[in-house]
Amino acid sequence: MPSHLSKGQMKRWNTRLAETTTNKARATALWDLARVLAGADDKAWADLVLLLQRWTTEQQGRPGSP
């Protein structure tokens, strides 16, 4: 089951994401957050991987797949 973030964790992740200054840094933070949110749920992890792959591709200036 995917995990839920506490208020403290939410604040920490919001701060980490706000401090990113490049797409590379933002991507790294988002991948880290996705792993935390997915927990041991392989289906949730797979869904997040697809979402982040699409985002990464679009940030690189290539069209994403639907």
Side-chain angles (χ1 to χ4, degrees):
M1 165 177 253
S3 66
H4 298 278
L5 298 178
S6 69
K7 287 182 182 181
Q9 290 171 315
M10 184 72 85
K11 182 178 177 181
R12 178 182 171 272
W13 281 105
N14 282 335
T15 300
R16 181 171 174 196
L17 291 169
E19 290 174 349
T20 60
T21 57
T22 65
N23 279 338
K24 182 177 180 179
R26 192 169 298 113
T28 300
L30 288 171
W31 280 96
D32 292 347
L33 176 58
R35 184 72 263 181
V36 168
L37 291 174
D41 186 330
D42 289 338
K43 183 174 179 343
W45 175 240
D47 290 342
L48 288 166
V49 166
L50 291 174
L51 176 78
L52 287 170
Q53 284 175 334
R54 188 175 306 129
W55 179 84
T56 301
T57 298
E58 289 172 358
Q59 294 305 306
Q60 294 170 344
R62 299 186 310 235
S65 56

